Amino acid sequence: MTTLLDLKSSVLRQVQRSQSLRSRRESPPTEGSPLTHCPEPLPRRISEESMEFFERMSAILQKQDNMLQAAQAESQRGACTVPPPQEHVDQAFIADRISRTELDLLYEEAVYSVVNRVGVPAPEHVTSDEELFAYLLKVFDMGEEEHDIILQKVQEFKRATFSLRVSVLKAKSLLAKDANGYSDPYCMLGILEGQSPREPEEKKERKFSFRKRKDKLEKRSSTKEALPARCIQVTEVKPETLNPVWDEHFVFEVDDVHNDLLHLDIWDHDDDVSVAEACKKLNEVSGLRGMGRYFKQIAKSVRANGSSSSGSEENADDFLGCINISLNEIPVGGFDTWFKLEPRSSASKVSGECHLILKLFTSQRDTTLSKRESNVSIHKKLLSRIVEHEHAHVKREPYNWNGQVSPPAWTTLTHHAMQTDLTRLQQAIIRWQCYSSHHRTQRVCYSLLLRLLRAIDAEWDPPSVRGDLERQLSDSFRLYTEHCLCLMKNMRQVFPCTSAAAVTRYELMLRGIGYMQNMRAFKTVCPLRNELHLDITSAVKKGTSEWYETLIAQHKPEDGSLEEQLKKLVVVVDAVCADMQRAQNIYNKLFYSAVKVDFFSVSYRQLEKLVADDVNVAMERLCGTLEQESSRLTQTTGETVFELFMSLKSLKGFREFLPLKDSKMLALTGFHNWFKSSIHKFLQVVHDRSCDRICKAVETDKMEAVQQVRHSSSALEVTSCFRQVRDIWLQLAWPDSAGAFIFVTRLTDNFCSEAVSYSEMLTRKIERNQLGRDHKSFILQLCVALNNVEHVRVFLGHLPRDLDWSGVERAMEESCGAEGKEQVYKALNGQLFNMDLDLQREAKRLTALLTDKMLPELRRYLQHISLSPDSINNDDAVAPLMKYLQDTMVILTDTLVKDNLARVLQSLWELLVRMILDSVTENRGIQVEFYNRFQYTVEVLEEELKLNKCSSFELIEQYYLEKISLQKTLKHTRFGRISVKCYYDAPEQRLTVEILHAADIMALDANGLSDPFVIVELCPHHLFPLAKSQRTQVKLKTLHPVFDELFYFHVSPEQYRHRFACLTFTVMDYDWLSTNDFAGEAVAPLSDFCWPGRPNATAAGKSVQPFILHLSRSKPSEKPIMSLLDARVGDREAQEFVRRLKEIEKSMEEE
């Protein structure tokens, strides 16, 4: 409450101390006011400094918009070929380097994989050993001799032993073998020994089944004979289904990977005997007799429909289908597909498919590394070596490398992964570890890393990742995260907005980090890093703080003079604003969409606090300095203070992009309070420069009207100056409305005093220039000077709106009550009222100069009237005076604006009346004709001056009022008549005009007839700017045409309410070879049928009776209004109106 009372008393004291403009102007001039030196010419240096000052102010106001546009241009910049800046390299990271011995062992592993290749190669694989070895020589930097030694050693190794992993997933669309419409399917599968190429072709094509006849088994007598199936495995029985799902996995040892086959049978189980148990016992026997004994048990368990119903096992078969796959047909990457079931013979009926996954791998490798290290570790080293080699040979945009390797590299890696039995998940993890580690020293495309993360997530199986692999995956996630956090901290240097490529990389990196923190694998192996967004926020904060510290270290705002310190702070704040603009336009969208972190809010809160602390210290130092130096503020320091204020205002403006909860209690909330005293002194600098500028404007003004306006260059310069000062205040946008009252009062006072001083300087300049000037040029200069004053007065009349006086009043009412509001109203409006009085006084002085210049001529012409003999009629006696006045009126009408014209004509009228009264007083007792003549003179003058005071539009409106009045007096004319019907639809605002017929039209053709048509239009044109004239069809060779045509016009209530609004009907005679002839015209006021309550304006308007309009053919030039409009040469509307009427009159004369 105490603070509120203090504010109220302070404001009221300020209002009471505010002197009126008139009293202040009567005080002796101060030495510091530039206007007191005028009209003496200003030193050139001072005037140039003033112009430069306002140019700098405009540049400051424009600077923020330019920065915004530049930031927008950055955000919309398309792709470019310029590579992005180098990304930060972790100095603590040292890439794994292996010794030459280890490299040789790894090369041995690669050669071993090449030598032991199996499987059908993919189209992109290399099949030539020579090509593969040539590639490996380059990768491992191996010499030919070394290669030969290692190859010889590998060839002496024991060849790799292969196994086959079979996953029986499911089957579909099997035959129904049971009475219930289903089957109870199970699978039997095993490896068949390869057939010799020397065997007959028909034997190769023979079908095989695990179900053998008992007699064939018993005939085998030697244990040395090869078994038909080395290993038989069986799945579980799936009861009552035609689409079984097994999802069971088996591993078979393979002797001859090039010739052996995988055979699979699907049977319908109809017995309680366990098929699985029978097969297990079968696989335990070592001779033919034992195998045959158990196979008979299996045969019994797979009979169909019971053996009792048929004596033949072939007829009792529950066989559902089989699959035979040669191992040499399995691709390197394995099979994962549906296989169609095949019949056992042509008599078998089968149906359906079975989904199998087949993969070959080495169960035993005879390499040195495979005996020392795990397959995962070996494959990781091999991939790392190949990746390093491949990336080093990428020529175009290596930073955008997508990880694609050459065919030899892909062939080597694929075979090694297959042979070492690496799962898809293991391969995905190894690729991620290698590429992410390689990226820390040689950057790659982030989309590659994101793709690798997705591959891990797609294959993720927690039980299969344990021990070292889990630890290594956790370490790779941790190291990559730390690397990305480091890049985020330095993002302004590493990923600048000026590089589209860098921004794209940054977006992909953030998407990768965002994807990683939501991965199942990441949550499993890094359970303690479940709040990665907090780490990202911390990195952003630290990076923002370090960037600001670098900015301060670069510009060093603490060094130099106080003015230099402020200028450096401006540069710092502008850099922060530009950074915030980029954060809002670009970075924030990337962060929020990828990692759900509000980058803009985090950065803004950090930077705003840092900027506020530095600027507050500098402004406190400035305020202390100003108090010590007797409140003197230099112009350059004032400019810098204003620029700093505007930069802080722009920085504070970014709050609108903050969440509501974050926009309160920030460091820059009350920053304007730091600038109160300095801005007050800055306004004095603005006032001084404005005064210099006004003086220079008057000094250089040639008092000639600028094109398209009626005032001169100085008036434009003054209002331009005022407008710039107003814009300075509006851009300041002082947030404390109650505190803004002092500034508004100061600005209003400055505007008013500058305007009054300008008008006084104009008057003095006119007074000095009147000597040696001819009558016309002097009048022109006086008119321009009057228009200048009026132009400035009208501009300042908008100050209450421009400076938001009502807002100041409301704020003062809230803080100080009704008394404060009243005091503000009185103070501000009192200043404006006094200014208006002073400008009117100067206008009267200029008008007096004008009438004084006309005084000798007026006396001479009035003397001519008084001395004219009675034999001369009044018109002849008054003619010289009227001629002089008309010539003068042409100048005044063309030169003066409307309000000034009215003032000058009023002053001239008062002068003439006073002179006539003086003449009558001096000649009392003379004949009555003397007084009658002067009375006639007064009447003529009054009419002439009354018309001259009107604008061109008002004269045109008066013209149509006279035509409407004349139309009402017409009865029967020799020019004919026209019959029309008009009615108005108020809801639609549509006027319908029916032109029915005409009669007794003038004969304008040689045959005694005419070819009439009617033009109908809304007048005057300035009231209906969008309405176009319309015309009827031409009726040939008639004086009584029948038209019966409808026309529609849009007429609003605001238009038809004017008394002069009317419809004009112009009848013309159509000519083929010359211009059309004017036959007559008529007018109808819109008030007759548009006003509410008129019969024509109701729903029954269509049924009203038509009315007759008599045509007239009066000459427009006979009207005084025409001569006045014709004299206004510079008025486009007046000249256009006169041109149309002259064309009609010319047509009448040609007839």
Side-chain angles (χ1 to χ4, degrees), residues 83-91 391 398-401 436 438-447 449 480 483-488 490-496 499 501-510:
Q86 286 293 330
E87 295 176 11
H88 172 76
V89 177
D90 190 356
Q91 300 298 330
H391 198 184
Y399 59 87
N400 254 348
W401 184 45
S436 62
H438 177 74
H439 171 70
R440 297 175 66 189
T441 55
Q442 296 293 326
R443 55 184 174 169
V444 298
C445 182
Y446 283 101
S447 60
L449 300 175
Y480 181 72
H483 179 71
C484 290
L485 291 175
C486 188
L487 292 179
M488 289 180 198
N490 300 304
M491 48 164 283
R492 293 171 176 85
Q493 296 81 29
V494 179
F495 304 108
S499 171
V503 173
T504 301
R505 288 181 60 80
Y506 197 31
E507 180 182 9
L508 291 171
M509 188 195 81
L510 290 173

Side-chain angles (χ1 to χ4, degrees), residues 403-419:
Q404 185 175 1
V405 296
S406 62
W410 183 242
T411 303
T412 304
L413 291 171
T414 304
H415 279 280
H416 186 266
M418 180 272 289
Q419 294 175 21

Side-chain angles (χ1 to χ4, degrees), residues 445-505:
C445 182
Y446 283 101
S447 60
L448 164 65
L449 300 175
L450 178 58
R451 189 167 67 248
L452 296 176
L453 289 172
R454 287 174 174 163
I456 294 176
D457 211 28
E459 301 291 338
W460 183 245
D461 181 26
S464 64
V465 182
R466 288 290 182 264
D468 290 343
L469 186 61
E470 180 181 12
R471 178 184 54 78
Q472 292 172 7
L473 180 59
S474 175
D475 289 343
S476 68
F477 282 155
R478 176 181 57 81
L479 292 173
Y480 181 72
T481 301
E482 292 174 355
H483 179 71
C484 290
L485 291 175
C486 188
L487 292 179
M488 289 180 198
K489 190 179 68 171
N490 300 304
M491 48 164 283
R492 293 171 176 85
Q493 296 81 29
V494 179
F495 304 108
C497 292
T498 53
S499 171
V503 173
T504 301
R505 288 181 60 80

Side-chain angles (χ1 to χ4, degrees), residues 981-996:
K981 183 193 290 187
C982 300
Y983 43 90
Y984 183 67
D985 184 354
E988 297 291 332
Q989 297 187 1
R990 183 178 65 184
L991 174 64
T992 304
V993 180
E994 292 187 33
I995 301 180
L996 303 175

Side-chain angles (χ1 to χ4, degrees), residues 167-179:
S167 297
V168 183
L169 301 182
K170 51 190 171 180
K172 62 182 178 180
S173 305
L174 300 180
L175 284 179
K177 293 291 186 177
D178 295 341

Side-chain angles (χ1 to χ4, degrees), residues 885-986:
L885 289 177
Q886 287 175 356
D887 292 342
T888 305
M889 289 303 168
V890 170
I891 299 175
L892 297 179
T893 304
D894 288 343
T895 310
L896 290 174
V897 296
K898 182 180 178 180
D899 291 342
N900 279 337
L901 179 62
R903 294 190 191 100
V904 171
L905 293 181
Q906 181 66 29
S907 178
L908 186 58
W909 167 251
E910 293 173 355
L911 175 63
L912 286 170
V913 170
R914 187 167 59 251
M915 293 176 68
I916 291 174
L917 288 176
D918 290 343
S919 180
V920 170
T921 302
E922 293 173 358
N923 295 280
R924 291 188 180 277
I926 305 180
Q927 298 177 358
V928 177
E929 286 297 326
F930 176 83
Y931 301 105
N932 290 340
R933 181 164 291 172
F934 274 110
Q935 181 181 0
Y936 177 76
T937 302
V938 170
E939 292 173 354
V940 173
L941 284 174
E942 183 178 15
E943 181 65 22
E944 181 75 15
L945 295 177
K946 180 181 178 182
L947 290 176
N948 274 282
K949 289 169 65 176
C950 297
S951 66
S952 296
F953 285 159
E954 291 171 340
L955 290 176
I956 294 172
E957 293 162 3
Q958 184 65 30
Y959 173 84
Y960 282 106
L961 283 174
E962 293 179 3
K963 288 189 72 68
I964 292 172
S965 178
L966 176 63
Q967 185 71 48
K968 293 178 180 180
T969 64
L970 293 177
K971 298 297 183 182
H972 298 285
T973 67
R974 60 189 181 90
F975 307 115
R977 57 195 176 278
I978 184 171
S979 176
V980 299
K981 183 193 290 187
C982 300
Y983 43 90
Y984 183 67
D985 184 354

Side-chain angles (χ1 to χ4, degrees), residues 779-791:
I779 290 179
L780 288 174
Q781 282 200 352
L782 275 171
C783 292
V784 170
L786 281 170
N787 290 341
N788 288 349
V789 174
E790 179 65 12
H791 181 68

